[in-house]
Amino acid sequence: RMLKERTPQDATAASKKANEILLFMESMDEPMIAAINGWALGGGCEVALACDIRIASERAQIGQTEVRVGIMPGYGGNVRLMRLIGPGRAKEMIYTGRVVKAQEAERIGLVNRVVPHEKLMEETMALAKEIAKGPAAVHFAKKAMFQACQNSYQEALKKDSELYGEVYKTEDFKEGVTAFLEKRKPSFKNR
């Protein structure tokens, strides 16, 4: 009903607002993990695409189904899906509105892994905790990868080098190298 009442101006404004929110998710320091436990269609798929990592339940089904109602993905799905799984696969999914099941989503790189439905949150939280225990370098790596998608190849390499130097200013760098040399496990503080 909402779509039927939208004007072209409303649609543009909604798309811009959604893209602002999803771009914030992509660019924030903390890695974001999507746990997909069922249908992730249209906007739900676009939210998952904005996450750094996607873990799907074996029951998950994912798609950009907007063409089925005469529109196209409006919250960045055209761009993000193509960058994630390649133009050919993204075009097929978007042009046909086809929904892919979890196993195919993993095979084409749409999700990182598929887990048993009852283990979805356990596996997702275990990964989140593992990443959270990591050093501040995780945040720098995320920033470097985000910037790589925003810039030319040469500019991305330049920014990557600059961020690499910034990592050396962190306490976690000093702790990591010291622990390595002392042959012990590092105790990172995420600073």
Side-chain angles (χ1 to χ4, degrees), residues 23-32 52 139 142-143:
L23 190 59
F24 173 77
M25 287 171 51
E26 286 179 310
S27 64
M28 64 191 302
D29 284 347
E30 293 77 18
M32 297 205 55
D52 297 290
H139 304 292
K142 178 174 176 171
K143 188 179 288 190

Side-chain angles (χ1 to χ4, degrees), residues 39 41 61-65 68 93 97-101 104:
W39 297 91
L41 307 176
Q61 296 192 48
I62 306 166
Q64 293 293 169
T65 56
R68 294 180 182 186
M93 283 182 67
R98 187 168 71 84
V99 175
V100 298
K101 293 184 177 171
E104 182 181 359

